[in-house]
Amino acid sequence: MTRTLTAESVACAYERERPVFTSVGVTVRSGELVGFAGPNGSGKSTLLRVLCGLLKPRAGRVTLDGRPLSSFRGRERARVIAFLPQAVNPAFALNVFEVVCLGRYPHLAGFGAMRPHDKDVAERCLRATETEELRARDFMTLSGGERQRVLLASILAQEPDLLLLDEPTSALDIHHQIEIFALLERLAHKGYGIAVVTHDLNLAARFCDRLVILAKGRDVVASGAPEVVLTPTILSDAYRAPIRVATHPETGAPLVWAEAPSRAEEDAQ
Ligand SMILES: Nc1ncnc2c1ncn2[C@@H]1O[C@H](COP(=O)(O)OP(=O)(O)OP(=O)(O)O)[C@@H](O)[C@H]1O
Ligand SMILES: [Mg+2]
């Protein structure tokens, strides 16, 4: 089913006098991979929390297929939207397979027993994230990157239409980073709508259909196709630091890096 998740003129503040943003509008539709980037503290995680209904905006509205998100009940919403937070600390001692199975909860009836189909889905998600070999391990003993891949498997097992992922590759090695982004691209082609927060502008440039750039205290400062958004002017302004952009010699995507401070600047500080 085609889904449209929209935030319109959304304002958020954890404390009344310190707004994170005052009027943000974004849309995530089935079939597209949308990247969210911007400096630390610019409100990316806050925006994802609003989009999945965990945080109530102070103003504006969030709708799913034109209906207020707040009118969806928990399970109903969980069958459509899955959210992977930036940091997760499970409260129970679970092995990897059990963590992945937790993702099936919105689909389980009555007493929550897993049917063969649910186990098949969990197995498929382990394979998709290359975590099959970890299945019997205690989740808490995994490395940071292994945990991240298992948590992604768990929300894929939820079989939602929309995925909201907060820095899903921040702890991954370069092989697994690109594997996960390529997986997200495939999922978007299959019809999932995906919002992904990332600090890796080069992966975003290569895989995302659209990018949204937030800046601290300034809401959304740019949005559009990666080639349109990833310019030295837009990025240097958003990060308040000199950012350079070239073209990747193989993929043709924008190639972004931050300039290192010169010795003279460092000595002057
Ligand atoms: N629970 C909270 N209580 C008070 N302030 C908060 C809370 N969570 C976030 N903030 C503040 O809101 C602002 C936006 O935070 P948010 O986590 O959305 O930023 P971010 O763009 O995701 O940053 P990062 O790149 O570091 O993950 C920051 O100034 C942060 O300090
Ligand atoms: Mg964040």
Side-chain angles (χ1 to χ4, degrees), residues 29-54:
R29 294 181 195 84
S30 294
E32 62 175 4
L33 177 55
V34 186
F36 291 79
N40 293 133
S42 55
K44 304 175 298 296
S45 298
T46 304
L47 184 56
L48 278 207
R49 277 182 219 129
V50 168
L51 283 172
C52 73
L54 271 183

Short mmCIF file of all heavy atoms in Angstrom, two decimals, residues 29-54:
data_model
loop_
_atom_site.label_atom_id
_atom_site.label_comp_id
_atom_site.label_asym_id
_atom_site.label_seq_id
_atom_site.Cartn_x
_atom_site.Cartn_y
_atom_site.Cartn_z
N ARG A 29 7.47 9.39 1.33
CA ARG A 29 6.47 8.60 0.59
C ARG A 29 7.00 7.20 0.32
O ARG A 29 8.23 6.99 0.25
CB ARG A 29 6.18 9.25 -0.76
CG ARG A 29 5.51 10.58 -0.69
CD ARG A 29 5.23 11.14 -2.09
NE ARG A 29 4.92 12.56 -1.98
CZ ARG A 29 5.84 13.52 -1.91
NH1 ARG A 29 7.12 13.22 -1.99
NH2 ARG A 29 5.48 14.78 -1.79
N SER A 30 6.10 6.28 0.11
CA SER A 30 6.49 4.92 -0.30
C SER A 30 7.37 5.01 -1.53
O SER A 30 7.10 5.83 -2.42
CB SER A 30 5.25 4.10 -0.66
OG SER A 30 4.47 3.89 0.49
N GLY A 31 8.41 4.19 -1.57
CA GLY A 31 9.24 4.11 -2.77
C GLY A 31 10.42 5.05 -2.78
O GLY A 31 11.19 5.04 -3.73
N GLU A 32 10.57 5.87 -1.73
CA GLU A 32 11.73 6.78 -1.75
C GLU A 32 12.57 6.67 -0.49
O GLU A 32 12.07 6.36 0.59
CB GLU A 32 11.30 8.23 -1.99
CG GLU A 32 10.41 8.81 -0.94
CD GLU A 32 10.12 10.30 -1.17
OE1 GLU A 32 10.54 10.87 -2.18
OE2 GLU A 32 9.46 10.88 -0.29
N LEU A 33 13.86 6.92 -0.70
CA LEU A 33 14.84 6.92 0.40
C LEU A 33 15.24 8.38 0.61
O LEU A 33 15.87 8.99 -0.26
CB LEU A 33 16.05 6.06 -0.01
CG LEU A 33 17.24 5.97 0.94
CD1 LEU A 33 16.81 5.51 2.32
CD2 LEU A 33 18.27 4.99 0.38
N VAL A 34 14.85 8.93 1.76
CA VAL A 34 15.10 10.35 2.05
C VAL A 34 16.13 10.45 3.16
O VAL A 34 15.96 9.86 4.24
CB VAL A 34 13.80 11.06 2.50
CG1 VAL A 34 14.05 12.56 2.65
CG2 VAL A 34 12.68 10.82 1.51
N GLY A 35 17.20 11.19 2.92
CA GLY A 35 18.26 11.36 3.92
C GLY A 35 18.06 12.65 4.70
O GLY A 35 17.68 13.67 4.12
N PHE A 36 18.31 12.59 6.01
CA PHE A 36 18.27 13.78 6.86
C PHE A 36 19.66 13.99 7.42
O PHE A 36 20.23 13.09 8.03
CB PHE A 36 17.26 13.61 8.01
CG PHE A 36 15.83 13.60 7.54
CD1 PHE A 36 15.27 12.47 6.98
CD2 PHE A 36 15.05 14.74 7.65
CE1 PHE A 36 13.96 12.46 6.51
CE2 PHE A 36 13.73 14.75 7.19
CZ PHE A 36 13.19 13.61 6.62
N ALA A 37 20.22 15.19 7.20
CA ALA A 37 21.56 15.47 7.69
C ALA A 37 21.59 16.86 8.29
O ALA A 37 20.62 17.61 8.21
CB ALA A 37 22.56 15.35 6.53
N GLY A 38 22.73 17.19 8.88
CA GLY A 38 22.88 18.51 9.51
C GLY A 38 23.74 18.37 10.74
O GLY A 38 24.00 17.25 11.21
N PRO A 39 24.20 19.48 11.30
CA PRO A 39 25.12 19.44 12.43
C PRO A 39 24.50 18.79 13.68
O PRO A 39 23.27 18.69 13.79
CB PRO A 39 25.42 20.91 12.72
CG PRO A 39 24.81 21.71 11.64
CD PRO A 39 23.87 20.85 10.88
N ASN A 40 25.35 18.40 14.60
CA ASN A 40 24.89 17.89 15.90
C ASN A 40 23.95 18.91 16.54
O ASN A 40 24.23 20.11 16.51
CB ASN A 40 26.08 17.67 16.85
CG ASN A 40 27.00 16.55 16.40
OD1 ASN A 40 28.22 16.72 16.39
ND2 ASN A 40 26.44 15.43 16.02
N GLY A 41 22.85 18.41 17.08
CA GLY A 41 21.93 19.29 17.79
C GLY A 41 20.97 20.06 16.89
O GLY A 41 20.20 20.90 17.36
N SER A 42 20.98 19.77 15.57
CA SER A 42 20.12 20.55 14.66
C SER A 42 18.67 20.05 14.67
O SER A 42 17.80 20.69 14.10
CB SER A 42 20.68 20.55 13.24
OG SER A 42 20.89 19.24 12.78
N GLY A 43 18.42 18.90 15.29
CA GLY A 43 17.04 18.45 15.45
C GLY A 43 16.63 17.24 14.62
O GLY A 43 15.45 16.93 14.51
N LYS A 44 17.60 16.52 14.08
CA LYS A 44 17.28 15.37 13.23
C LYS A 44 16.54 14.28 14.01
O LYS A 44 15.51 13.77 13.58
CB LYS A 44 18.57 14.79 12.61
CG LYS A 44 19.36 15.82 11.83
CD LYS A 44 20.68 15.28 11.33
CE LYS A 44 21.65 14.83 12.41
NZ LYS A 44 22.13 15.91 13.29
N SER A 45 17.09 13.91 15.18
CA SER A 45 16.44 12.86 15.98
C SER A 45 15.08 13.33 16.47
O SER A 45 14.11 12.55 16.50
CB SER A 45 17.31 12.49 17.19
OG SER A 45 18.54 11.98 16.76
N THR A 46 15.00 14.60 16.83
CA THR A 46 13.73 15.16 17.30
C THR A 46 12.68 15.05 16.19
O THR A 46 11.54 14.63 16.44
CB THR A 46 13.93 16.64 17.71
OG1 THR A 46 14.98 16.69 18.69
CG2 THR A 46 12.66 17.26 18.24
N LEU A 47 13.09 15.37 14.97
CA LEU A 47 12.15 15.31 13.84
C LEU A 47 11.68 13.87 13.60
O LEU A 47 10.49 13.62 13.37
CB LEU A 47 12.82 15.90 12.59
CG LEU A 47 11.95 16.00 11.34
CD1 LEU A 47 10.68 16.79 11.59
CD2 LEU A 47 12.74 16.64 10.19
N LEU A 48 12.59 12.90 13.69
CA LEU A 48 12.16 11.50 13.51
C LEU A 48 11.19 11.07 14.59
O LEU A 48 10.21 10.37 14.33
CB LEU A 48 13.37 10.55 13.52
CG LEU A 48 14.20 10.37 12.26
CD1 LEU A 48 14.86 9.01 12.25
CD2 LEU A 48 13.41 10.54 10.98
N ARG A 49 11.45 11.53 15.84
CA ARG A 49 10.53 11.17 16.95
C ARG A 49 9.14 11.74 16.68
O ARG A 49 8.13 11.12 17.01
CB ARG A 49 11.06 11.73 18.28
CG ARG A 49 12.08 10.83 18.90
CD ARG A 49 12.55 11.40 20.25
NE ARG A 49 13.97 11.18 20.38
CZ ARG A 49 14.86 12.10 20.69
NH1 ARG A 49 14.50 13.33 20.97
NH2 ARG A 49 16.14 11.78 20.76
N VAL A 50 9.10 12.93 16.11
CA VAL A 50 7.80 13.54 15.78
C VAL A 50 7.12 12.75 14.67
O VAL A 50 5.93 12.46 14.73
CB VAL A 50 8.00 15.02 15.37
CG1 VAL A 50 6.73 15.58 14.75
CG2 VAL A 50 8.39 15.85 16.57
N LEU A 51 7.93 12.36 13.67
CA LEU A 51 7.35 11.65 12.52
C LEU A 51 6.82 10.27 12.88
O LEU A 51 5.95 9.74 12.20
CB LEU A 51 8.40 11.52 11.40
CG LEU A 51 8.67 12.77 10.57
CD1 LEU A 51 9.87 12.56 9.66
CD2 LEU A 51 7.45 13.18 9.75
N CYS A 52 7.38 9.67 13.96
CA CYS A 52 6.86 8.33 14.31
C CYS A 52 5.83 8.42 15.43
O CYS A 52 5.30 7.40 15.87
CB CYS A 52 7.99 7.37 14.66
SG CYS A 52 8.73 7.70 16.22
N GLY A 53 5.54 9.62 15.90
CA GLY A 53 4.48 9.79 16.88
C GLY A 53 4.92 9.65 18.33
O GLY A 53 4.10 9.65 19.23
N LEU A 54 6.24 9.54 18.56
CA LEU A 54 6.74 9.42 19.94
C LEU A 54 6.74 10.76 20.67
O LEU A 54 6.67 10.81 21.88
CB LEU A 54 8.18 8.90 19.93
CG LEU A 54 8.41 7.41 19.97
CD1 LEU A 54 9.90 7.12 20.04
CD2 LEU A 54 7.69 6.78 21.17
#
